[in-house]
Amino acid sequence: MARVRQFLPHLVLGAGAFIVLLPFYWMFLTSIRSPAEIFDVSLWPIPKQFDMAVNYERAASQVPMMRFMLNGLIVCLGILIVQVATAVPAAYALAKLNFPGRKLLLTLVIAALCVPIQALALPLFVGLAKLDLLNTYFAMMAPFFLSVFAIFLFHQSFRSYPDEIIEAARMDGFSEMEICWGLVLRGSLPSLAAFSVFSVVAHWNDLYWPMIVVTDINLAPPPLGMLFFSDVESGANYGALMAGAALITAPMIVCFLLARRHFIAGITMTGVK
Amino acid sequence: MTLILEASSAAAGRGTRVRSKGERRMMWKALLFVAPAVLLLAAIYIIPVVVLAGFSLTDYQLGALSTRFIALENFAKAFDDPVFLRSLKNTVIYAVIVIPLGVFLALGLALLVHGRKRSRAFWEAAYFLPVTATLVAMATVWQFLLHPSIGPVNAAIKWLGFEPVAFLSNPTLLIPTMAMIGVWQILGFNMVLFLAGLTAIPKDLYEAARLDGARHPFDRFVTVTWPMLGPTTLFVVVTTSISAFKVFETVAVLTKGRFGSETLLFDLYLEGFEYSNTGYAAALTLIFLVIILVLSIGQTLHLDRKVHY
Amino acid sequence: MQKSVELTGIGKGFGADDVLKNIDLSVKPGEFLSLVGMSGCGKSTLLRIIAGLERPDRGSVAIGGADVTELDPSARNLAMVFQSYALYPHMSVRQNIATPLRMRRLSLASRLPLIGALAASAEVLREINKSVEQAAETLHISHLLDRKPAQLSGGQRQRVALARALVRSPAAFLMDEPLSNLDAKLRAHMRNELAALHRRLGATFIYVTHDQTEAMTMSDRIALMSEGRIEQLGTPSELYEHPATLTVARFIGTPSINLVPVEVLPNGSVSLFGQALGLAAAGHNAGPATLGVRAEDVSITPEGLPLRVQRTETHGADRFVHGHLQADEALPVTFRLSIGAPVAVNSDDVIYVSFPPERAHLFGRDGSRLAAFPTDRVAA
């Protein structure tokens, strides 16, 4: 009886994990099975015919899968760089400098935290259309150039940096830029890492905004590409479809498994911090 | 931007204090530091919200030659529009399934995982995986898993001797099916939030409760864990309901709004970007925004306290 | 390189909330000047105004005769040691000490990480390294050069902060309570080292502390501050021997000065509980006043003021007796005196004490010092 009580939690957790992980397993299994085994619903891990190469080949040739990944990388990095470049100095000024309108700006930042991008999509889309910028990388990135969340997060983190070190640096002749990037941000590297994960995961996986501003398949980021791909395949070849899905989810899953702590901290910091 | 400059001149006018040259230099440096963020805040948030409100009072259509001011007609139309009302109803049903399941299953998992010492990292990773994975791709996988003839889920149902279930073609099952996928995705996220909350509960509270006679684990849960998790639970409920009201990807992949399965955001997408009814979509967006803002009031108060403590 | 520091009419804040009220202060080249006072007296603000970290609302700051009021902190060529030491946490001790030199002698391009190493002249880098090693040697921290601040003890961090200050000969050293985070023994030790360092460098030191012992033991002059004003400026012995106000008398000296309420009679003679003390106040100051006597000026005599002993306290060579003056049982006045070791004094004994009237300090109702002179009679 005692042994059962001891193992019961593992049993429950194991059953739950089976359901949670089933889609990943099924995705990978189908992606290495031949299309002929499509009616085989067994979960046996070794396919009768090993068709991994064929499926992935088809996923990469039917649609420019590698191009989607590259687009995703460009968009994510572009967004992240501008977000950090604009949020860090603003957060530093809000946390450590005095200027008129400081309180107002902080209030606006917190108010903006509640406004989802989907609510701003319409006017931003109209604006980009008027400027003839639809179907560009810029259009995909522009609405995310300012991350109020990054400003909020860095502001919280920078505030705890000792004022005396900043003053010592001023007396030593550091410029405010050097203090901001070289000293204060260096003291908040865990926040920077967590935010980077948060930002990259969010934009790698985002479908709504690319779907609005991109119609050119060559500019599509992975989720939009996946949508195109499943339309093209329309259920005909599940092996290739699953290979495509595996390719698109792989970068985030691999990064997650490698840096599990950072990922969990980064993605959930909206809640804990 | 102008808002901030006006406020600043008002602040400068109130005090009789004259700033020294050095102080003014520092102030300009600070303004330079926030300038890019302020400009972007205006361009991405402030101006669009104003423009959105403006659109919602017109019959503006992107590319149309003339536009009329029609006051609140769009809003009146929205509450007469069967598609919009259906999407609202669908979203509410979705949320009503996702919120309790997503919160309480996650709490249960967190309680189980919290007690594990060596295997904790493994369970955390396993349940968190769906949070990181691209939902569009995973929705495609679910579509396959739930396929009436070749999906393993229905195969299992048949093996158990039941009739196969048409998860993705029976209109009454569409929203519940999508809600289950929503629960699957958000479970790990909420579990990690609960785990953080559980870790923050001081150990001696449990010992005190034990001394006070709370012998059964259930008693300790009721006297210590549940009340101490109050703020975390509130927060998890708020974030879960916000993401439930933003459901979009699963609809886009699984049904594309067929069989009357539109959700709020999907209907908004169709009106605004497929049919180019900009003015009408703006009104719908404002309704959506109000719902999200009401839901986020709790979240904002929580964050605000962190800034001003 | 020693420079004078001149403050003229420094004011900060407005109306009743003034942090500093019209401060004039002139620090001579090579002088060790302490700013002492209770917390909130404005001493730190004054130091930060000299450093340029805060701007005065009124008045001006001059260093070596040049007005620097509008200059940035880095342009004033001052070195500051902070209470928390403010070491750069990510740099090694060597880099920390080198930073003030690198910032002054290397261009922006050669300060950049990675590329900087190529752009900097090897000659300058060698010179910097040599200065760093000299400074480290002066403070006996050569063996710590490659550690990070987090790996050092409080005392070691303190030395690194000092080395970082003295590596470039600044116009003056500013110190903001640099010893307050050390334990008592180390603090006493560092007091001696700081005083020795000052003698060797011959540099101008401006030192902020709330600890009067630090100020008394190290300073050439002390500026005692209270409520945004300088109460008295003088050498340690001037402040001890001739406190200008009641505040100064209370603040300076351990144990604290004995203060007893007295009455100045219309004829000028000072009386304690109706007994004449053999002291007369000059001018027309009749009314209640306060009399101050240092513990070491009080001695046990066959007759004099009756004192009921509360307890005795031994500090090695010194012994102090605490007691209540007996003239008014309802309002006991604590009195301390230092006595030589051999005298036997027990609690509840009544002893008689007296002091030479010329050693007493008389303060008026507003706290300012009243001129007083002994009358021919011996103290009662």
Side-chain angles (χ1 to χ4, degrees), chain C residues 146-197:
Chain C
D146 295 310
R147 295 211 197 153
K148 289 273 174 71
Q151 300 166 294
L152 303 179
S153 71
Q156 289 168 334
R157 281 181 216 182
Q158 162 75 69
R159 283 166 192 275
V160 177
L162 282 171
R164 185 175 68 179
L166 65 85
V167 70
R168 59 186 167 100
S169 341
F173 289 88
L174 311 181
M175 308 206 177
D176 190 1
E177 309 244 7
L179 305 185
S180 60
N181 284 348
L182 301 179
D183 63 57
K185 202 168 173 194
L186 199 54
R187 200 178 317 162
H189 178 73
M190 285 308 290
R191 273 207 308 259
N192 290 331
E193 279 209 36
L194 269 180
L197 193 67

Coordinates of all heavy atoms in Angstrom, one line a residue, chain C residues 146-197:
Chain C
D146 N 44.2 40.1 -9.2 CA 43.4 39.4 -10.3 C 42.1 38.8 -9.8 O 41.5 38.1 -10.5 CB 44.3 38.3 -10.9 CG 45.5 39.0 -11.6 OD1 45.2 39.9 -12.4 OD2 46.6 38.6 -11.4
R147 N 41.7 39.3 -8.5 CA 40.4 38.8 -8.0 C 39.3 39.7 -8.4 O 39.6 40.9 -8.8 CB 40.5 38.7 -6.5 CG 41.5 37.7 -6.1 CD 41.0 37.1 -4.8 NE 42.1 36.4 -4.1 CZ 42.2 36.2 -2.8 NH1 41.3 36.7 -2.0 NH2 43.2 35.5 -2.3
K148 N 38.1 39.2 -8.3 CA 36.9 40.1 -8.5 C 36.5 40.6 -7.2 O 36.7 40.0 -6.1 CB 35.8 39.2 -9.1 CG 36.0 38.8 -10.6 CD 35.5 39.9 -11.5 CE 35.9 39.6 -13.0 NZ 35.1 38.5 -13.6
P149 N 35.8 41.8 -7.1 CA 35.4 42.4 -5.9 C 34.6 41.4 -5.0 O 34.7 41.4 -3.8 CB 34.5 43.6 -6.3 CG 35.1 44.0 -7.6 CD 35.6 42.7 -8.3
A150 N 33.8 40.6 -5.6 CA 32.9 39.7 -4.9 C 33.8 38.7 -4.0 O 33.3 38.1 -3.1 CB 32.0 38.9 -5.8
Q151 N 35.0 38.5 -4.4 CA 35.9 37.5 -3.7 C 36.7 38.2 -2.6 O 37.5 37.5 -2.0 CB 36.9 36.9 -4.7 CG 36.2 36.1 -5.8 CD 37.2 35.8 -7.0 OE1 37.7 36.7 -7.6 NE2 37.4 34.5 -7.1
L152 N 36.4 39.4 -2.3 CA 37.2 40.1 -1.3 C 36.4 40.4 0.0 O 35.2 40.4 -0.1 CB 37.7 41.5 -1.9 CG 38.4 41.5 -3.2 CD1 38.8 42.9 -3.6 CD2 39.7 40.7 -3.0
S153 N 37.2 40.5 1.1 CA 36.5 40.9 2.3 C 36.3 42.4 2.3 O 36.8 43.1 1.5 CB 37.4 40.5 3.5 OG 38.5 41.4 3.5
G154 N 35.5 42.8 3.3 CA 35.1 44.2 3.4 C 36.4 45.1 3.5 O 36.5 46.1 2.8
G155 N 37.3 44.7 4.3 CA 38.5 45.5 4.5 C 39.3 45.6 3.2 O 39.9 46.6 2.8
Q156 N 39.4 44.5 2.4 CA 40.1 44.4 1.2 C 39.4 45.3 0.1 O 40.1 46.0 -0.6 CB 40.2 43.0 0.7 CG 41.2 42.1 1.5 CD 41.1 40.7 1.2 OE1 40.0 40.2 0.8 NE2 42.2 40.0 1.5
R157 N 38.1 45.3 0.1 CA 37.4 46.1 -0.8 C 37.7 47.6 -0.6 O 37.9 48.4 -1.5 CB 35.9 45.9 -0.7 CG 35.5 44.7 -1.4 CD 34.0 44.5 -1.3 NE 33.7 43.1 -1.1 CZ 32.5 42.6 -1.0 NH1 31.4 43.4 -1.1 NH2 32.3 41.3 -0.9
Q158 N 37.7 47.9 0.7 CA 38.0 49.3 1.2 C 39.4 49.7 0.6 O 39.5 50.8 0.1 CB 38.0 49.3 2.7 CG 38.7 50.4 3.3 CD 37.8 51.6 3.2 OE1 36.8 51.7 3.9 NE2 38.2 52.6 2.4
R159 N 40.4 48.8 0.7 CA 41.7 49.2 0.2 C 41.7 49.3 -1.3 O 42.4 50.2 -1.9 CB 42.7 48.1 0.5 CG 43.1 48.1 2.0 CD 43.8 46.9 2.4 NE 44.0 46.8 3.8 CZ 45.0 47.4 4.5 NH1 45.9 48.0 3.8 NH2 45.0 47.4 5.8
V160 N 40.9 48.5 -2.0 CA 40.8 48.6 -3.5 C 40.2 50.0 -3.8 O 40.7 50.7 -4.7 CB 40.0 47.5 -4.1 CG1 39.8 47.7 -5.6 CG2 40.6 46.1 -3.8
A161 N 39.2 50.3 -3.1 CA 38.5 51.6 -3.4 C 39.5 52.8 -3.1 O 39.6 53.7 -3.9 CB 37.3 51.8 -2.5
L162 N 40.3 52.7 -2.1 CA 41.3 53.7 -1.8 C 42.4 53.7 -3.0 O 42.8 54.8 -3.5 CB 42.0 53.4 -0.5 CG 41.2 53.9 0.7 CD1 41.9 53.4 2.0 CD2 41.1 55.4 0.8
A163 N 42.8 52.5 -3.4 CA 43.8 52.4 -4.5 C 43.3 53.1 -5.7 O 44.0 53.8 -6.4 CB 44.2 51.0 -4.7
R164 N 42.0 52.8 -6.0 CA 41.4 53.4 -7.2 C 41.4 54.9 -7.1 O 41.5 55.6 -8.1 CB 40.0 52.8 -7.4 CG 39.3 53.3 -8.7 CD 38.0 52.7 -8.9 NE 37.0 53.1 -7.9 CZ 35.7 52.7 -7.9 NH1 35.3 51.8 -8.8 NH2 34.9 53.2 -7.0
A165 N 41.2 55.4 -5.9 CA 41.2 56.9 -5.7 C 42.6 57.5 -5.9 O 42.7 58.5 -6.5 CB 40.6 57.2 -4.3
L166 N 43.6 56.8 -5.4 CA 44.9 57.5 -5.4 C 45.7 57.2 -6.6 O 46.8 57.7 -6.7 CB 45.7 57.2 -4.1 CG 46.1 55.8 -3.7 CD1 47.5 55.5 -4.4 CD2 46.3 55.7 -2.2
V167 N 45.2 56.3 -7.5 CA 46.1 55.9 -8.6 C 46.4 57.1 -9.5 O 47.4 57.2 -10.2 CB 45.4 54.7 -9.4 CG1 44.2 55.2 -10.1 CG2 46.4 54.1 -10.3
R168 N 45.4 58.0 -9.6 CA 45.7 59.2 -10.4 C 45.7 60.3 -9.4 O 44.8 60.5 -8.6 CB 44.5 59.5 -11.4 CG 43.2 59.6 -10.7 CD 42.1 59.7 -11.7 NE 40.8 59.6 -10.9 CZ 40.1 60.6 -10.6 NH1 40.4 61.8 -10.9 NH2 39.0 60.4 -9.9
S169 N 46.8 61.1 -9.4 CA 46.8 62.1 -8.3 C 45.7 63.1 -8.5 O 45.8 64.0 -9.4 CB 48.2 62.8 -8.4 OG 49.1 62.0 -9.1
P170 N 44.7 63.0 -7.8 CA 43.5 64.0 -8.0 C 43.8 65.3 -7.2 O 44.7 65.4 -6.4 CB 42.4 63.2 -7.3 CG 43.0 62.4 -6.3 CD 44.4 62.0 -6.7
A171 N 43.0 66.3 -7.5 CA 43.1 67.6 -6.9 C 42.8 67.5 -5.4 O 43.3 68.1 -4.6 CB 42.2 68.6 -7.5
A172 N 41.8 66.6 -5.1 CA 41.5 66.3 -3.7 C 40.8 65.0 -3.6 O 40.3 64.5 -4.6 CB 40.5 67.4 -3.2
F173 N 40.8 64.4 -2.4 CA 40.2 63.1 -2.1 C 38.9 63.4 -1.4 O 38.9 64.1 -0.4 CB 41.0 62.2 -1.3 CG 42.2 61.6 -2.0 CD1 43.4 62.3 -2.0 CD2 42.1 60.4 -2.6 CE1 44.5 61.8 -2.7 CE2 43.2 59.9 -3.3 CZ 44.4 60.6 -3.3
L174 N 37.8 62.8 -1.8 CA 36.5 63.0 -1.1 C 36.2 61.6 -0.5 O 36.2 60.6 -1.3 CB 35.4 63.5 -2.0 CG 35.7 64.7 -2.9 CD1 34.5 65.0 -3.8 CD2 36.1 65.9 -2.1
M175 N 35.8 61.6 0.7 CA 35.5 60.3 1.3 C 34.2 60.4 2.0 O 34.0 61.2 2.9 CB 36.6 59.9 2.3 CG 37.9 59.9 1.7 SD 39.1 58.8 2.4 CE 40.5 59.1 1.3
D176 N 33.2 59.5 1.7 CA 31.9 59.5 2.2 C 31.7 58.3 3.2 O 31.5 57.2 2.8 CB 30.8 59.4 1.1 CG 29.4 59.7 1.6 OD1 29.3 59.9 2.9 OD2 28.5 59.6 0.8
E177 N 32.0 58.5 4.5 CA 31.9 57.5 5.5 C 32.6 56.2 5.0 O 32.0 55.1 5.0 CB 30.4 57.1 5.8 CG 29.6 58.4 6.0 CD 29.0 58.4 7.4 OE1 29.3 57.5 8.2 OE2 28.2 59.3 7.7
P178 N 33.8 56.3 4.7 CA 34.4 55.1 4.1 C 34.7 53.9 5.0 O 34.8 52.8 4.6 CB 35.8 55.6 3.6 CG 36.1 56.8 4.4 CD 34.8 57.4 4.8
L179 N 34.7 54.2 6.3 CA 35.0 53.2 7.3 C 33.7 52.6 8.0 O 33.8 51.7 8.8 CB 35.9 53.7 8.4 CG 37.2 54.3 7.9 CD1 38.1 54.7 9.1 CD2 38.0 53.4 7.0
S180 N 32.5 53.1 7.6 CA 31.4 52.7 8.4 C 30.9 51.3 8.2 O 30.2 50.7 9.0 CB 30.2 53.7 8.2 OG 29.9 53.6 6.8
N181 N 31.4 50.7 7.1 CA 31.0 49.3 6.9 C 32.0 48.3 7.4 O 31.9 47.1 7.1 CB 30.8 49.0 5.4 CG 29.5 49.6 4.9 OD1 28.6 50.0 5.7 ND2 29.3 49.7 3.6
L182 N 33.0 48.7 8.1 CA 34.0 47.8 8.7 C 33.7 47.5 10.1 O 33.0 48.3 10.8 CB 35.4 48.5 8.6 CG 35.8 48.9 7.2 CD1 37.2 49.5 7.2 CD2 35.9 47.7 6.2
D183 N 34.3 46.4 10.7 CA 34.1 46.1 12.1 C 35.0 47.0 12.9 O 35.9 47.6 12.4 CB 34.3 44.6 12.4 CG 35.7 44.2 12.1 OD1 36.6 44.8 12.7 OD2 35.8 43.3 11.3
A184 N 34.7 47.1 14.2 CA 35.3 48.1 15.1 C 36.8 48.1 15.0 O 37.5 49.1 14.9 CB 34.8 48.0 16.5
K185 N 37.4 46.9 15.1 CA 38.8 46.7 15.2 C 39.5 47.2 13.9 O 40.5 48.0 13.9 CB 39.2 45.3 15.4 CG 40.5 45.1 16.0 CD 40.7 43.7 16.6 CE 42.2 43.6 17.0 NZ 42.5 42.2 17.2
L186 N 38.9 46.8 12.7 CA 39.5 47.1 11.5 C 39.3 48.6 11.2 O 40.2 49.3 10.7 CB 38.7 46.4 10.4 CG 39.4 46.2 9.0 CD1 40.8 45.7 9.2 CD2 38.5 45.3 8.1
R187 N 38.3 49.2 11.8 CA 38.0 50.6 11.6 C 39.1 51.4 12.3 O 39.7 52.3 11.7 CB 36.7 51.0 12.2 CG 36.1 52.3 11.7 CD 34.7 52.5 12.2 NE 33.9 51.4 12.3 CZ 32.8 51.3 13.0 NH1 32.4 52.3 13.8 NH2 32.1 50.2 13.0
A188 N 39.5 51.0 13.5 CA 40.5 51.7 14.2 C 41.8 51.6 13.5 O 42.6 52.6 13.3 CB 40.7 51.1 15.6
H189 N 42.1 50.4 12.9 CA 43.3 50.2 12.1 C 43.4 51.1 10.9 O 44.4 51.7 10.6 CB 43.4 48.7 11.8 CG 44.6 48.4 10.9 ND1 45.9 48.3 11.5 CD2 44.7 48.1 9.6 CE1 46.7 48.0 10.5 NE2 46.1 47.9 9.4
M190 N 42.2 51.1 10.2 CA 42.2 51.9 8.9 C 42.3 53.4 9.2 O 42.7 54.1 8.4 CB 40.9 51.6 8.1 CG 40.9 50.2 7.4 SD 42.3 49.9 6.4 CE 42.1 51.1 5.0
R191 N 41.8 53.8 10.4 CA 42.0 55.2 10.8 C 43.4 55.6 10.7 O 43.8 56.6 10.1 CB 41.4 55.4 12.2 CG 40.0 55.7 12.2 CD 39.6 56.5 13.5 NE 40.1 56.0 14.7 CZ 39.4 55.3 15.6 NH1 38.1 55.0 15.3 NH2 39.9 54.9 16.7
N192 N 44.3 54.8 11.4 CA 45.7 55.1 11.4 C 46.3 55.1 10.0 O 47.1 55.9 9.6 CB 46.4 54.0 12.2 CG 46.1 54.2 13.7 OD1 45.8 55.3 14.1 ND2 46.1 53.1 14.4
E193 N 45.9 54.1 9.2 CA 46.4 54.0 7.8 C 46.0 55.2 7.0 O 46.8 55.7 6.2 CB 45.9 52.7 7.1 CG 46.7 51.5 7.6 CD 46.8 50.4 6.5 OE1 46.9 50.8 5.3 OE2 46.8 49.3 6.8
L194 N 44.7 55.6 7.1 CA 44.3 56.8 6.4 C 45.1 58.0 6.8 O 45.5 58.8 5.9 CB 42.8 57.0 6.6 CG 41.8 56.3 5.7 CD1 40.4 56.7 6.1 CD2 42.1 56.7 4.2
A195 N 45.3 58.2 8.1 CA 46.0 59.3 8.5 C 47.5 59.3 8.0 O 48.0 60.3 7.5 CB 46.0 59.4 10.1
A196 N 48.1 58.1 8.0 CA 49.4 58.0 7.5 C 49.4 58.2 6.0 O 50.3 58.9 5.4 CB 49.9 56.5 7.7
L197 N 48.4 57.7 5.3 CA 48.3 58.0 3.8 C 48.2 59.4 3.5 O 48.9 60.0 2.6 CB 47.1 57.2 3.3 CG 47.0 57.1 1.8 CD1 48.0 56.2 1.3 CD2 45.6 56.5 1.4

